[in-house]
Amino acid sequence: TTQAYRQPGSAFKPFVYLTAIEKGISPSLIIDDSPVVYENGWAPTNYEDEFRGPVTLREAFEDSINVVGVKLLERVGVRDVIRDAQKAGIKSTLRPDLSLALGTSEVTALELASAYSTIANMGTYVEPTAIIKVEDYNGKVLEQNYIVRKEVFSEDVCYTMIKLMEGVLLRGTATNAKIGRPAAGKTGTTDEFTDAWFVGFTPDLVCAVYIGNDDRKPIGNRLTGGVVAAPVWRDFMVSALKDTPVSDFTRPLNILEIPVCAKTGLLPGNNCAKSVSVAFIPGTEPTQVCYEGTGVKPEYVTEQKTTIQ
């Protein structure tokens, strides 16, 4: 928990998307999931070795599309993402390159749990504390630790991020983590299926699950975080919260939650096959009606004009 440094894989992506939201980028922004080769010859790939073309950030996050994550990191800036990850609670050294979006810099499970807690706490970082107080036999206090709290992100940014992370359980890579109450999280899987993660939370509790071998051997073909770690998280959380009343994440007053077309991220049109509810910081919400099924394909399909830059 505190000494084993492991690559978090896509469990690091929330900090890339958090930085994007903080910079005013909309969850409905479209980015092209297509091959890209960088100057050093690196060409990031997706889990299924396929490309979907234009996708919204919401869809890319829920389905953990690697190429979109890398392109988003390039857009918002590696240094800014490192800064936000550290503000959230990551203490380990994060290497400043684009592979950071895929979780190549090693961290501990405690760091990830702590950093996710900052999001769950609506932007308040809480220093992890194992021992609150030590008393002797007579009740004399020998040691007293005090909880350190610090506001590091706005509630609006964190709530928008939480709703994206809820979608991971509802529709994305962590449907195995559903626990019958509001919950949010993110899966992570590294190359060759060496490490599998699921880190998630309810309004009451954060839990990070890591599965891997001490000798770094792969745990098995296609044993992803969503397949092996998410069910462990689910079973633990159901037991841990059995006596805790169900509660939902508190929405900030000015956050907009509106239905959008699941494909285009625009306001639902008459021909939309499916719509989903998405949270938006005011000014980042779509204002245009979806064009799906109309035969019209606007020029902004790769960069929506409704997004605040």
Side-chain angles (χ1 to χ4, degrees):
T1 299
T2 62
Q3 294 177 303
Y5 291 85
R6 299 288 184 264
Q7 291 182 333
S10 291
F12 187 82
K13 283 178 182 170
F15 309 110
V16 179
Y17 283 75
L18 181 77
T19 303
I21 294 168
E22 193 175 42
K23 287 176 176 284
I25 292 176
S26 170
S28 282
L29 174 73
I30 296 278
I31 289 184
D32 196 16
D33 176 27
S34 60
V36 60
V37 180
Y38 291 97
E39 290 182 357
N40 62 359
W42 181 54
T45 59
N46 293 324
Y47 172 66
E48 298 288 355
D49 288 323
E50 297 176 351
F51 300 94
R52 300 191 190 184
V55 295
T56 65
L57 291 190
R58 178 202 61 78
E59 181 182 348
F61 184 78
E62 290 179 2
D63 292 342
S64 203
I65 301 176
N66 288 338
V67 172
V68 173
V70 173
K71 289 181 176 180
L72 183 63
L73 175 60
E74 183 180 25
R75 178 188 180 102
V76 302
V78 174
R79 299 289 180 182
D80 287 351
V81 170
I82 290 175
R83 177 204 65 203
D84 283 349
Q86 291 172 339
K87 284 165 60 177
I90 299 296
K91 304 295 186 183
S92 297
T93 300
L94 300 174
R95 294 182 288 277
D97 60 65
L98 291 178
S99 72
L100 182 68
L102 308 184
T104 55
S105 289
E106 295 80 2
V107 298
T108 68
L110 178 60
E111 286 178 279
L112 273 189
S114 172
Y116 274 55
S117 294
T118 302
I119 300 174
N121 284 330
M122 302 292 279
T124 299
Y125 167 73
V126 180
E127 184 74 32
T129 305
I131 298 173
I132 303 297
K133 185 166 61 174
V134 179
E135 297 178 350
D136 67 10
Y137 182 80
N138 297 313
K140 180 182 176 181
V141 176
L142 304 178
E143 181 178 346
Q144 177 83 54
N145 291 323
Y146 297 94
I147 305 300
V148 177
R149 295 180 173 86
K150 184 179 180 181
E151 300 286 340
V152 294
F153 303 115
S154 76
E155 289 188 349
D156 290 357
V157 167
C158 288
Y159 184 82
T160 304
M161 191 67 233
I162 287 170
K163 300 309 285 187
L164 287 178
M165 297 170 81
E166 275 192 315
V168 175
L169 280 73
L170 295 174
R171 297 174 294 271
T173 58
T175 54
N176 284 335
K178 291 180 181 178
I179 56 174
R181 65 168 72 204
K186 186 70 187 74
T187 53
T189 309
T190 60
D191 287 348
E192 308 300 328
F193 305 99
T194 301
D195 309 280
W197 296 84
F198 184 74
V199 189
F201 53 85
T202 68
D204 310 287
L205 181 65
V206 178
C207 173
V209 173
Y210 170 80
I211 294 177
N213 292 311
D214 286 344
D215 59 8
R216 315 301 292 124
K217 289 181 179 178
I219 56 178
N221 186 43
R222 302 185 77 81
L223 293 184
T224 64
V227 171
V228 293
V232 175
W233 183 90
R234 177 194 64 215
D235 291 349
F236 167 76
M237 292 293 277
V238 167
S239 176
L241 296 171
K242 65 180 185 298
D243 297 323
T244 302
V246 174
S247 62
D248 203 350
F249 300 100
T250 303
R251 183 175 74 181
L253 292 176
N254 64 328
I255 285 290
L256 305 172
E257 282 194 61
I258 60 174
V260 299
C261 173
K263 177 64 178 174
T264 67
L266 299 175
L267 299 175
N270 294 329
N271 298 308
C272 289
K274 181 182 179 183
S275 65
V276 296
S277 179
V278 178
F280 295 93
I281 294 174
T284 68
E285 75 278 8
T287 58
Q288 202 155 356
V289 175
C290 178
Y291 53 83
E292 282 290 288
T294 64
V296 176
K297 193 172 184 180
E299 294 179 357
Y300 59 80
V301 70
T302 57
E303 185 113 342
Q304 289 181 9
K305 295 177 181 176
T306 54
T307 299
I308 293 177
Q309 303 301 330

